[in-house]
């Protein structure tokens, strides 16, 4: 990288850190328009963290020999290098980069990404929120929204998953059942065209329900084909659940854990597992971008789990 990029990187890093700090600070609020919990994950961090593991560590985490080779390859660098060859107008219209990010990208020469920390400023970042649209002692709606700042370099199959458990007003465990009506519990993925990021289609999917009393997920392709070309990508989405009380006892609160998995090696599908405790795991090749356990009360307030 050329040395002049360093000053640009400082400006970008400062603006990004300020943005993340503002985005991550949240209050326990009750309406859908209020941010209850926020997160922000950068693809650069995901790649460098994976590469920091030894081959043995990756094997113990379930990665195959071919997947480890893919992690060690320069696939990520090659994608960024291809982007650096595009015109400024293409980078603005297709990838939503600003002038400073474009200058950083134009000075990239294909070095191993872990040796070029300034490239974090141009890597795709996934931002999101957990919120509660409506709540009562009879039922609670809970929603995860996410949105990418630009198209991630790895675009195969991603997934969003959720698990939950209820408590009654006496503080005792309470079965709360997923209301799997398509208007209440679903996953919607919004695709845009690479050229100009014009809205394309929104795909609404029913959830894959592992346990009606506590576990569901949805996986989805990160790209779409139109007229024989891969010309659309999944920029944003939401996963919503509605859970209802069972029996006569009212709901006091529902503990909920959302997780987002991002494929960082070639994958045709995603499997989800539910470890003991209150967490979520994805199959090898799918990196857990975040796991957000929270408590949602029957008034709609959200607090730490």
């Amino acid at each position: 990288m050329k040395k002049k990029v360093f000053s640009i990187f400082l400006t970008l890093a400062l603006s990004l850190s300020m943005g993340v700090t503002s985005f991550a600070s949240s209050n326990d609020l009750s309406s859908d328009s209020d941010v209850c919990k926020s997160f922000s994950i950068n693809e650069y961090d995901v790649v460098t963290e994976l590469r920091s593991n030894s081959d043995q560590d990756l094997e113990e985490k379930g990665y195959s020999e071919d997947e480890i080779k893919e992690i060690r390859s320069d696939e990520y660098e090659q994608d960024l290098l291809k982007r650096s060859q595009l015109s400024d107008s293409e980078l603005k219209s297709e990838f939503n980069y600003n002038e400073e990010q474009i200058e950083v990208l134009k000075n990239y020469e294909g070095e191993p990404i872990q040796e070029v920390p300034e490239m974090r400023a141009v890597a795709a970042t996934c931002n999101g929120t957990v919120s509660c649209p409506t709540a009562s002692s009879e039922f609670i709606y809970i929603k995860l929204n996410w949105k990418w700042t630009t198209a991630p370099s790895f675009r195969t199959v991603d997934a969003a998953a959720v698990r939950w458990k209820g408590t009654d007003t006496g503080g005792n465990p309470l079965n709360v059942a997923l209301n799997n009506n398509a208007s209440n519990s679903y996953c919607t993925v919004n695709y845009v065209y690479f050229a100009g990021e014009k809205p394309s289609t929104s795909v609404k999917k029913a959830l894959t329900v592992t346990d009606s009393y506590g576990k569901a997920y949805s996986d989805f392709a990160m790209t779409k084909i139109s007229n024989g070309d891969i010309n659309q990508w999944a920029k944003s989405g939401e996963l919503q659940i509605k859970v209802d009380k069972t029996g006569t006892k009212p709901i006091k609160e529902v503990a909920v854990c959302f997780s987002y998995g991002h494929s960082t090696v070639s994958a045709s599908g995603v499997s989800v597992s539910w470890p003991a405790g209150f967490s979520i795991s994805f199959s090898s090749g799918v990196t857990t971008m975040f796991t957000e356990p929270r408590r949602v009360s029957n008034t709609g307030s959200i607090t730490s789990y």
Side-chain angles (χ1 to χ4, degrees):
M1 294 289 291
K2 299 177 182 177
K3 291 184 178 179
K4 68 176 182 177
V5 174
F6 185 68
S7 62
I8 299 171
F9 167 61
L10 289 178
T11 303
L12 283 168
L14 179 60
S15 63
L16 282 171
S17 64
M18 290 174 65
V20 170
T21 300
S22 173
F23 193 85
S25 61
S26 58
N27 299 314
D28 298 327
L29 302 170
S30 59
S31 71
D32 189 33
S33 62
D34 293 322
V35 175
C36 299
K37 174 64 183 177
S38 304
F39 62 87
S40 183
I41 308 96
N42 187 284
E43 194 175 40
Y44 175 94
D45 295 335
V46 173
V47 174
T48 54
E49 193 281 328
L50 273 175
R51 291 181 179 177
S52 70
N53 288 272
S54 67
D55 288 1
Q56 182 177 346
D57 289 338
L58 291 171
E59 287 176 4
E60 291 174 355
K61 292 178 180 179
Y63 287 90
S64 68
E65 183 178 347
D66 287 341
E67 288 172 337
I68 293 172
K69 287 180 180 178
E70 195 169 345
I71 290 169
R72 303 290 184 215
S73 75
D74 64 350
E75 181 180 352
Y76 186 64
E77 286 83 354
Q78 288 301 314
D79 181 72
L80 293 176
L81 203 55
K82 287 179 182 177
R83 295 188 190 193
S84 73
Q85 306 305 311
L86 298 174
S87 67
D88 288 12
S89 61
E90 288 173 314
L91 290 171
K92 289 177 181 178
S93 65
E94 296 184 21
F95 293 96
N96 203 33
Y97 287 131
N98 61 34
E99 295 285 354
E100 292 176 331
Q101 289 173 311
I102 289 172
E103 188 163 357
V104 171
L105 191 58
K106 290 290 187 180
N107 282 278
Y108 180 59
E109 297 174 347
E111 305 95 322
I113 201 70
Q114 59 270 27
E115 298 175 8
V116 196
E118 52 265 46
M119 289 301 292
R120 185 183 188 277
V122 300
T125 296
C126 185
N127 299 316
T129 60
V130 176
S131 60
C132 176
T134 309
S136 73
S137 60
E138 303 287 320
F139 60 84
I140 295 179
Y141 286 85
I142 313 169
K143 182 187 293 187
L144 166 71
N145 287 85
W146 68 89
K147 185 176 184 180
W148 289 90
T149 56
T150 187
S153 292
F154 297 103
R155 299 185 297 272
T156 53
V157 180
D158 280 12
V162 59
R163 66 186 305 177
W164 65 91
K165 55 186 178 182
T167 303
D168 66 23
T169 51
N172 303 305
L174 175 70
N175 278 337
V176 287
L178 182 71
N179 184 318
N180 208 20
N181 183 291
S183 63
N184 296 322
S185 301
Y186 57 84
C187 179
T188 298
V189 181
N190 304 309
Y191 293 87
V192 297
Y193 287 101
F194 279 101
E197 284 202 354
K198 294 179 181 178
S200 170
T201 53
S202 293
V203 177
K204 189 174 184 179
K205 301 179 61 179
L207 301 181
T208 299
V209 181
T210 304
D211 176 0
S212 295
Y213 296 96
K215 301 165 187 171
Y217 72 96
S218 180
D219 60 357
F220 49 89
M222 283 297 288
T223 56
K224 285 190 68 180
I225 298 175
S226 176
N227 298 322
D229 294 323
I230 298 176
N231 56 10
Q232 302 167 44
W233 63 281
K235 183 177 179 65
S236 61
E238 66 179 42
L239 187 155
Q240 176 176 284
I241 60 170
K242 178 192 178 188
V243 293
D244 297 321
K245 74 172 187 177
T246 58
T248 58
K249 293 183 178 180
I251 299 172
K252 177 185 179 182
E253 66 178 21
V254 172
V256 62
C257 179
F258 283 106
S259 192
Y260 186 96
H262 179 51
S263 294
T264 46
V265 297
S266 300
S268 57
V270 178
S271 61
V272 182
S273 58
W274 316 91
F278 199 55
S279 61
I280 299 170
S281 296
F282 298 100
S283 48
S284 65
V286 181
T287 299
T288 301
M289 297 286 278
F290 69 90
T291 297
E292 293 292 341
R294 315 304 287 171
R295 284 189 171 94
V296 184
S297 76
N298 59 17
T299 63
S301 65
I302 298 181
T303 55
S304 298
Y305 176 72

